């Protein structure tokens, strides 16, 4: 993942988490992504995997495509 893409995905995940009124520890529990890994992903230090994004979307009851920037947005 490029730095710009990593940033865009992390910011979108954070935004959706806030919109849902949920916390990072809650998301970790719901998805099975280790808290320290999720924190690094949200801090843009580690890439999200496709599986991670699918799990996050499922936990937030949203379409996984909402977590990815459109091609023109990068």
């Amino acid at each position: 993942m490029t730095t710009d893409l990593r940033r865009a995905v992390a910011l979108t995940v954070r935004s959706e988490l806030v919109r849902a009124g949920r916390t990072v520890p809650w998301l970790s529990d719901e998805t099975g992504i280790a808290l320290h890994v999720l924190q690094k992903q949200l801090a843009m230090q580690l890439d999200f995997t496709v599986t991670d994004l699918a799990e996050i979307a499922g936990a937030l009851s949203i379409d996984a495509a909402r977590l990815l920037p459109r091609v023109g947005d990068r």
Side-chain angles (χ1 to χ4, degrees):
M1 214 179 263
T2 66
T3 302
D4 289 341
L5 183 55
R6 185 182 297 142
R7 180 181 299 115
V9 172
L11 292 175
T12 302
V13 170
R14 277 198 180 279
S15 176
E16 291 294 336
L17 196 54
V18 169
R19 185 195 58 74
R22 299 297 187 164
T23 65
V24 175
W26 173 87
L27 187 59
S28 174
D29 288 343
E30 289 294 309
T31 61
I33 301 170
L35 182 57
H36 73 280
V37 170
L38 186 55
Q39 289 170 329
K40 284 187 176 192
Q41 290 169 322
L42 293 170
M44 298 168 259
Q45 298 170 346
L46 191 63
D47 290 341
F48 288 92
T49 67
V50 172
T51 302
D52 295 336
L53 294 176
E55 292 290 334
I56 291 167
L60 296 173
S61 299
I62 61 172
D63 184 5
R66 278 178 56 176
L67 299 175
L68 299 172
R70 293 178 300 188
V71 174
D73 291 347
R74 291 191 270 153

